[in-house]
Amino acid sequence: MTTKLIQGYEVVIGFETHAQLSTQSKIFSRAATAFGAEPNTQACAVDLALPGTLPVMNRGAVERAIEFGLAVNATIAPRSVFARKNYFYPDLPKGYQISQFEIPVVQGGSVEFLLGEEKKSVRLVRAHLEEDAGKSLHEDFVGQSGIDLNRAGTPLLEIVTEPDMRSSDEAVAYAKELHKIVTWIGICDGNMQEGSFRCDANVSVRRPGAPLGTRREIKNLNSFKFMQQAIDFEIRWQIEQIEDGHAIQQATVLFDPDTGETRAMRTKEDAADYRYFPDPDLPPLVIAPDWVERVRSEMAELPRVMAARFVADYGLPEYDATTLTQSKAMAAYFEATAKASGQPKLASNWVMGEVSRRLNAQDIGIGAAPVGPAQLAALIARIADDTVSNNAARQVFDALWSGDASDVDAVIEAKGLKQMNDSGALEKIIDDIIAANPDNVAQFKAGKDKAFNALVGQAMKATKGKGNPQQVSELLRKKLQ
Amino acid sequence: MSLTLPDIERIASLARLELPMAHRERLLGQINGFFDIVEQMRAVDTSGIEPLAHPVAAIQEVALRLREDQVSEPDQREANQRSAPAVERGLFLVPKVIE
Amino acid sequence: MSDALHDLGVARIAAKLRAREVSAVEAAQHFLLRMKAHDALGAFLATDEDVTLEQARAADRRIAAGDTAALLGVPIAHKDIFVTKDFASTAGSKMLAGYRSPFDATVVARLGPGVPGGAPGAGAVTLGKLNCDEFAMGSSNENSAFAPVRNPWDASRIPGGSSGGSAVAVAARLAPAVTGTDTGGSIRQPASFCGITGIKPTYGRASRYGMIAFASSLDQAGPMARSAEDCALLLSAMCGPDADRDSTSLDMPAEDFSRSLNDLVEGLRIGIPKEFFGEGLSADVRAAVDGALKQYEKLGAKLVPISLPRTELSIPVYYIIAPAEASSNLSRFDGVKFGHRAKDFIDPASKLSALEQMYRRTRAEGFGDEVQRRIMIGTYVLSHGYYDAYYLQAQKIRRMIADDFQQAFKVCDVIAGPVAPTVAWKMGEHGNDPLADYLADIFTLPASLAGLPGMSVPAGFGEGGMPVGLQLIGNYFQESRLLNAAHRLQQATDFHLRAPEGVL
């Protein structure tokens, strides 16, 4: 695999993603995690770190971490340890964040995806459980900030990759695949606007074969579009710096969607020294093998497994299978259509084509599609048995989609879209055409193919488009021998 | 080993403690005095010894107890903020946080 | 011993209440009066007659309804390290002056009305909150931000610490029993210095929820009273798992620690660690301790020589681990959510942001010298490049110390020795030398590091007529055996019944 260079530089990207776990209650307290409540109404004594409070671990968060580990073929640590990351910040109530440091719950694993036609695999270093911090609001408090701790204590799974990505396209493709996995298995709602899925990208550039360059970390990329823009800008910026003879300083940067640029964050007063140590309030997290097995047995079929099955069982091309497994709903829609119609490839073409196109145009999810798998299957069956041509089928589909009709055969009847497959009737029409067009016939016999096409056209016209073009030209040739 | 004033200043900064000069020097002396008795500890051979976090783990495994994922904390903002230094519209106020 | 209410102790007061010979309100009023009369001792930081009497009335209603909860109506008081809804909770620190907790500590709730939504509690009535060293850091109570506490046996001496107010309240008969907390000896040492009985249970027996944290892996709550019998009554109500609130509390069912008080100690093997009887031990204390041990031999117990070879190491190990955990536990005191915030903190000359200046000034103003010292030590030993050499090394030696005890318990049932090398010293005697205080903890630290139950039992008197305590250390979960041994000694001696002059 050759990595494409930019101005002779190789791009190296690693990701740290914070996925908010979809639990009801917080990771160490029994307060709600729901988004958007009034400030500090969902911050209980434990979340506020009131004197005397202590953390108690949420089983649901651990279970979700196990599900993720299994989804990416990682090792589930039989024993992992919570540690304190000590630093002062107003949105960090205890003055330390409870996280996992030396021994995370999920170790290794990888995320596979297609970049265009190319198969890619990004290795994961780890995924660990930790608590989210609160929020600082800087607006409308003269010279002061307001602190809302509702989000403090929301369970996070921080997913860390190796620096395996070599372009912004690959980075975005990875992020989309990871997003698909966590939403597919339902451990995260994936809402990027609300910050449920936040990506930090570590970007550096180097001459091929040179040691890793100094990286800059782009924080809180909360849309795939910005992700691409931010990384592309950062790459260009770093290359310019180096070309101008400046060394890259390690830094944390933020992306400004308005300017399309990244800017370094204000550096802290003192070099970060987090004084990690095992949290004495929390004994080690022990996960017995039978728990892992139970979770495994209850897990839904994963996208890549389902895609493989589509290739094996339905003979779909890899590309189709991957596309159809972008979401659980689409995969289910396809499979229902394929089963009901007995025409997997046609079903795939229609779901990836007409159906997707219309969904995108109207910006609605497949769940809201006005045409269900049963109807689409019925239509596909009519294509398969030559009742209608593809063009005619499209007209039928329009009618179904717009809601003007619901029964496929009724539409075909009403619009008279049936193909004329009765050769007797056709022969009659063709005889008439031949009789009516002596010159064309003569020209054809003289070897002018265009004349033949003209005759076919006339014949089709005469059948009002219901004739099967192939059948028409065959009969015509026979008669003109 | 013995600490220096710059060490004291670095630690005080990490710990967010404002130390008047005189206080720093007194602390330096006291802390260095303390680390003299710590030396004997550093000499102990602990190779192969597991650290002991929860004392009772010395005789039996102590594993983390897990809680069911249920919400049972009502909104107690008023009681929780009763002793807050500065609150406005339910938010804790602090000197501006600059990023 | 007089028959005055304040002289009876928990068991007999509880009996009188059940027999309706006295009402909870009368009992509370009796002690409230004594508290006023002796407030010069500085034992209490917070009192509120209305709250106390309301609780007493509630207890009387329960009694009238035939409720027979163990401590129903018995007046007690809590170390101010426990948070309480109805009294300010300060941990003896300016940082928390006037702080109001929205909830009661689990231990407070269990001894009193019961945990919200849980089983009804033992029904004790709260007289107030007791003075202590700031955030429980100290062994003289001179680190209280509010007032010094005086030893009722000699007002010029310290009561010990950090549960000094607790020990004084019991010794001066201002409360029949109280709660304390023990991290490195904070129940046992003041109990010894004030001539009362106190027990620290196995780490994890009593919930830490609502105990303002000093050193998470060491802090443990326990009762302090005049007799082992009274301690057993409170301890039975205090212990038991707190699954919803404290992950370090063990799944050990609550237990009736009174049941085996009267077992014979005949044949009991008492281990005598030679390291506890070295030249560091003053003669007067040694004499009293030896006397108590002789008493045990008379009762048929056997003294077995043992060794706890790392006793001396326990000082550096403890003074690394405890400050490290404290430095992190005390980070939440930042002037943002609760407690003290500096009024003026902006120095125009400073390069720091206003927020950073607020943090630094607030913490410098709110924490006293000893607390700041320990935060500094703890921050340093956890900082980059030093963690392995200090905190990790200390946690490893901690396991060796725990293993030493397991070796010892192969040949003995309980371990006995002095609680402290001397009797209570004079106020200000250790002056500006924190090390002197640290070194005086040598005999209580080993059991703390190992998380073992330990207690102090009055064993006689030493220099200046000051009380001396005998320390008993048991194996994990052997609290009843300790209480039984202590009770038997108290059946044969009257040291625990002696009262300082001027308090009766």
Side-chain angles (χ1 to χ4, degrees):
Chain A
M1 180 196 84
T2 57
T3 61
K4 77 174 192 324
L5 303 182
I6 298 177
Q7 298 169 40
Y9 287 87
E10 182 186 35
V11 175
V12 177
I13 303 168
F15 259 66
E16 286 168 22
T17 304
H18 289 88
Q20 258 180 30
L21 298 176
S22 56
T23 54
Q24 296 302 304
S25 63
K26 297 197 174 165
I27 184 167
F28 297 120
S29 86
R30 292 169 299 167
T33 54
F35 179 83
E38 279 296 297
N40 293 310
T41 52
Q42 279 177 185
C44 70
V46 174
D47 305 324
L48 294 177
L50 295 191
T53 54
L54 295 168
V56 179
M57 183 73 201
N58 181 339
R59 177 186 303 277
V62 178
E63 182 125 346
R64 283 164 178 78
I66 297 173
E67 286 176 45
F68 177 78
L70 294 174
V72 295
N73 293 323
T75 305
I76 310 299
R79 182 177 174 285
S80 60
V81 174
F82 286 97
R84 292 183 181 182
K85 181 182 183 180
N86 295 280
Y87 65 95
F88 286 85
Y89 208 69
D91 66 11
L92 189 70
K94 295 187 293 296
Y96 57 84
Q97 176 195 32
I98 303 177
S99 181
Q100 295 190 299
F101 185 51
E102 281 177 328
I103 314 177
V105 62
V106 174
Q107 303 173 1
S110 66
V111 172
E112 272 105 40
F113 53 95
L114 281 182
L115 181 57
E117 295 295 310
E118 193 181 356
K119 251 205 155 98
K120 294 279 188 183
S121 173
V122 169
R123 292 166 300 154
L124 298 183
V125 178
R126 60 190 280 163
H128 65 257
L129 285 161
E130 63 181 28
E131 60 183 336
D132 206 344
K135 286 181 180 165
S136 309
L137 293 85
H138 308 302
E139 298 72 28
D140 49 270
F141 296 104
V142 209
Q144 304 194 85
S145 298
I147 307 298
D148 175 7
L149 297 171
N150 280 348
R151 196 182 65 180
T154 301
L156 297 177
L157 190 65
E158 179 173 346
I159 303 151
V160 183
T161 76
E162 297 282 359
D164 282 356
M165 290 153 276
R166 293 290 174 272
S167 69
S168 61
D169 294 344
E170 184 177 2
V172 171
Y174 158 78
K176 286 182 169 165
E177 182 65 20
L178 184 65
H179 185 270
K180 182 173 88 184
I181 292 171
V182 296
T183 50
W184 183 288
I185 62 179
I187 63 168
C188 172
D189 68 19
N191 186 324
M192 295 176 85
Q193 289 67 37
E194 291 178 5
S196 304
F197 187 85
R198 313 194 288 269
C199 295
D200 305 339
N202 289 299
V203 180
S204 67
V205 299
R206 64 174 169 188
R207 292 290 184 185
L212 284 176
T214 306
R215 62 190 169 82
R216 303 215 310 166
E217 180 179 33
I218 314 172
K219 277 228 167 284
N220 291 332
L221 295 166
N222 61 0
S223 95
F224 295 121
K225 179 156 146 280
F226 294 159
M227 191 178 294
Q228 182 110 40
Q229 292 175 4
I231 295 172
D232 285 335
F233 176 88
E234 183 63 25
I235 292 167
R236 281 197 306 278
W237 185 87
Q238 289 191 17
I239 292 175
E240 273 169 29
Q241 291 294 304
I242 295 169
E243 290 293 314
D244 297 353
H246 307 305
I248 302 295
Q249 303 301 328
Q250 182 150 3
T252 303
V253 304
L254 290 173
F255 176 67
D256 179 347
D258 303 329
T259 62
E261 301 184 348
T262 57
R263 58 172 176 85
M265 283 172 73
R266 189 166 170 285
T267 47
K268 294 252 164 59
E269 259 82 8
D270 49 23
D273 182 343
Y274 293 124
R275 289 156 285 140
Y276 280 100
F277 73 107
D279 191 332
D281 289 331
L282 295 163
L285 170 60
V286 175
I287 299 175
D290 57 341
W291 188 6
V292 177
E293 284 323 303
R294 206 201 74 234
V295 173
R296 194 194 302 278
S297 67
E298 290 167 1
M299 264 175 80
E301 185 180 30
L302 295 168
R304 66 164 183 285
V305 178
M306 188 179 272
R309 183 166 60 79
F310 285 1
V311 172
D313 297 5
Y314 301 122
L316 295 186
E318 185 95 23
Y319 177 79
D320 291 30
T322 315
T323 313
L324 291 169
T325 49
Q326 281 314 305
S327 82
K328 250 186 184 162
M330 175 174 288
Y333 188 100
F334 157 75
E335 196 156 27
T337 310
K339 285 212 175 95
S341 64
Q343 299 289 335
K345 181 53 182 161
L346 272 178
S348 165
N349 295 346
W350 275 82
V351 174
M352 287 166 52
E354 288 301 313
V355 176
S356 298
R357 190 174 312 120
R358 284 178 165 78
L359 292 176
N360 295 338
Q362 293 171 240
D363 190 26
I364 54 172
I366 199 158
V371 178
Q375 284 173 300
L376 181 57
L379 180 56
I380 287 168
R382 289 289 166 266
I383 300 167
D385 65 15
D386 285 332
T387 305
V388 289
S389 65
N390 270 311
N391 288 335
R394 241 175 242 105
Q395 299 176 47
V396 178
F397 190 75
D398 280 326
L400 299 174
W401 192 275
S402 63
D404 301 346
S406 58
D407 180 70
V408 172
D409 292 326
V411 181
I412 295 174
E413 270 316 314
K415 293 189 181 289
L417 296 171
K418 219 192 206 81
Q419 289 191 124
M420 183 188 289
N421 299 317
D422 157 2
S423 51
L426 260 184
E427 281 188 51
K428 168 140 194 0
I429 290 173
I430 285 167
D431 291 339
D432 299 349
I433 297 290
I434 290 173
N437 298 279
D439 334 2
N440 293 81
V441 175
Q443 286 172 9
F444 170 69
K445 296 216 157 125
K448 290 215 171 67
D449 274 4
K450 273 175 71 218
F452 180 78
N453 295 344
L455 290 168
V456 174
Q458 301 238 16
M460 285 304 289
K461 191 125 140 264
T463 66
K464 302 194 188 64
K466 291 182 216 164
N468 180 330
Q470 239 158 331
Q471 209 180 2
V472 169
S473 47
E474 275 162 21
L475 279 168
L476 195 57
R477 250 177 231 292
K478 219 164 77 230
K479 291 186 176 292
L480 292 175
Q481 298 304 329
Chain B
M1 56 121 247
S2 126
L3 284 75
T4 62
L5 265 188
D7 291 325
I8 294 292
E9 280 148 16
R10 180 179 59 85
I11 303 162
S13 169
L14 266 179
R16 299 299 187 273
L17 289 171
E18 179 184 66
L19 296 182
M21 207 25 156
H23 196 161
R24 283 177 221 173
E25 272 151 8
R26 191 166 80 248
L27 260 173
L28 180 62
Q30 291 168 334
I31 291 180
N32 277 330
F34 164 71
F35 275 100
D36 291 343
I37 66 167
V38 172
E39 282 312 304
Q40 53 169 326
M41 180 196 93
R42 300 187 65 187
V44 177
D45 176 9
T46 54
S47 42
I49 305 285
E50 275 295 301
L52 181 63
H54 190 299
V56 174
I59 55 157
Q60 64 190 45
E61 182 184 60
V62 179
L64 183 58
R65 197 190 290 112
L66 301 176
R67 156 182 74 77
E68 291 315 309
D69 179 20
Q70 281 153 6
V71 174
S72 63
E73 287 288 352
D75 167 21
Q76 293 207 49
R77 184 171 76 179
E78 200 184 340
N80 290 342
Q81 294 187 329
R82 191 163 42 169
S83 301
V87 171
E88 192 177 312
R89 277 174 284 154
L91 294 157
F92 296 97
L93 290 190
V94 298
K96 196 148 201 74
V97 178
I98 309 142
E99 276 184 344
Chain C
M1 183 174 78
S2 82
D3 259 353
L5 206 52
H6 56 266
D7 231 359
L8 298 184
V10 174
R12 289 178 62 194
I13 291 175
K16 276 182 170 293
L17 285 159
R18 267 194 297 277
R20 319 266 175 105
E21 291 168 31
V22 63
S23 75
V25 169
E26 287 162 349
Q29 280 164 330
H30 180 88
F31 283 97
L32 287 170
L33 279 173
R34 290 189 58 79
M35 285 155 56
K36 279 210 198 71
H38 294 281
D39 63 354
L41 290 170
F44 281 83
L45 285 179
T47 58
D48 184 329
E49 289 206 17
D50 299 342
V51 170
T52 300
L53 293 176
E54 179 45 47
Q55 289 184 12
R57 281 190 288 275
D60 280 328
R61 285 192 294 274
R62 277 175 74 179
I63 292 168
D67 190 332
T68 60
L71 304 173
L72 198 45
V74 176
I76 64 170
H78 296 291
K79 183 179 185 179
D80 204 23
I81 209 79
F82 294 95
V83 297
T84 46
K85 285 205 310 290
D86 302 333
F87 299 85
S89 306
T90 70
S93 179
K94 187 179 166 203
M95 184 62 88
L96 281 175
Y99 174 72
R100 283 291 179 150
S101 172
F103 63 94
D104 282 330
T106 297
V107 160
V108 170
R110 283 181 175 168
L111 284 167
V115 181
V125 170
T126 305
L127 292 167
K129 304 293 290 293
L130 296 158
N131 206 342
C132 57
D133 283 304
E134 185 176 8
F135 289 102
M137 298 180 190
S139 42
S140 71
N141 232 291
E142 291 167 300
N143 297 335
S144 164
F146 300 108
V149 184
R150 306 193 169 276
N151 193 313
W153 294 89
D154 175 348
S156 70
R157 297 187 189 241
I158 56 102
S162 64
S163 310
S166 300
V168 169
V170 172
R173 294 359 186 212
L174 310 183
V178 300
T179 56
T181 61
D182 191 311
T183 302
S186 286
I187 285 175
R188 290 161 287 165
Q189 184 254 24
S192 170
F193 284 5
C194 293
I196 66 163
T197 307
I199 180 167
K200 164 195 116 61
T202 304
Y203 178 87
R205 271 278 205 185
S207 172
R208 290 172 43 236
Y209 190 74
M211 259 170 66
I212 297 173
F214 161 15
S216 306
S217 73
L218 292 151
D219 296 344
Q220 215 16 228
M224 301 164 81
R226 301 231 306 286
S227 68
E229 180 188 21
D230 287 357
C231 283
L233 284 169
L234 269 78
L235 191 62
S236 303
M238 291 168 75
C239 291
D242 191 8
D244 293 345
R245 295 294 187 187
D246 175 7
S247 303
T248 62
S249 83
L250 298 164
D251 295 316
M252 293 288 293
E255 189 177 322
D256 172 8
F257 293 108
S258 307
R259 77 181 181 289
S260 44
L261 280 175
N262 291 302
D263 292 5
L264 298 176
V265 292
E266 220 166 351
L268 182 77
R269 300 170 303 165
I270 302 177
I272 310 298
K274 63 170 187 289
E275 295 78 5
F276 281 39
F277 293 82
E279 76 277 4
L281 181 60
S282 67
D284 58 330
V285 173
R286 171 158 204 155
V289 169
D290 286 343
L293 295 175
K294 286 216 169 43
Q295 197 46 256
Y296 272 118
E297 282 181 303
K298 282 212 201 89
L299 295 168
K302 283 194 213 55
L303 305 188
V304 187
I306 60 164
S307 173
L308 296 171
R310 293 173 183 82
T311 297
E312 213 175 306
L313 273 175
S314 64
I315 296 172
V317 167
Y318 173 88
Y319 279 98
I320 292 292
I321 294 172
E325 295 181 0
S327 70
S328 178
N329 285 334
L330 269 51
S331 293
R332 69 189 55 196
F333 300 99
D334 59 4
V336 175
K337 297 129 334 223
F338 46 77
H340 178 71
R341 176 189 290 189
K343 294 283 161 292
D344 321 298
F345 48 82
I346 299 291
D347 168 4
S350 173
K351 296 177 299 312
L352 298 175
S353 69
L355 175 67
E356 287 297 330
Q357 293 184 62
M358 187 279 278
Y359 281 153
R360 288 162 162 78
R361 179 80 45 95
T362 294
R363 290 165 60 80
E365 287 177 358
F367 294 135
D369 284 358
E370 180 61 19
V371 172
Q372 291 194 37
R373 206 151 34 229
R374 296 199 194 188
I375 289 175
M376 291 288 288
I377 291 172
T379 302
Y380 177 68
V381 299
L382 289 177
S383 67
H384 185 69
Y386 299 98
Y387 172 78
D388 288 12
Y390 292 118
Y391 189 78
L392 192 60
Q393 173 76 346
Q395 288 285 49
K396 288 175 176 175
I397 300 175
R398 183 180 191 175
R399 182 178 292 274
M400 296 165 116
I401 289 169
D403 292 344
D404 291 341
F405 275 105
Q406 291 313 302
Q407 282 305 315
F409 282 120
K410 285 179 180 161
V411 297
C412 65
D413 305 307
V414 300
I415 292 169
V419 171
T422 66
V423 295
W425 54 87
K426 297 274 188 185
M427 285 184 163
E429 189 176 317
H430 288 179
N432 244 341
D433 178 16
L435 266 187
D437 281 5
Y438 298 0
L439 296 171
D441 294 341
I442 184 163
F443 301 140
T444 48
L445 297 180
S448 293
L449 288 166
L452 294 166
M455 67 188 296
S456 176
V457 191
F461 297 85
E463 176 259 323
M466 296 305 291
V468 173
L470 171 76
Q471 180 174 213
L472 294 175
I473 299 167
N475 208 342
Y476 298 106
F477 314 120
Q478 294 291 305
E479 290 82 1
S480 3
R481 184 170 237 162
L482 287 185
L483 288 161
N484 159 227
H487 182 66
R488 276 294 167 184
L489 183 67
Q490 293 180 335
Q491 297 304 294
T493 60
D494 71 346
F495 302 122
H496 64 294
L497 301 177
R498 310 264 188 96
E501 279 168 34
V503 305
L504 293 184

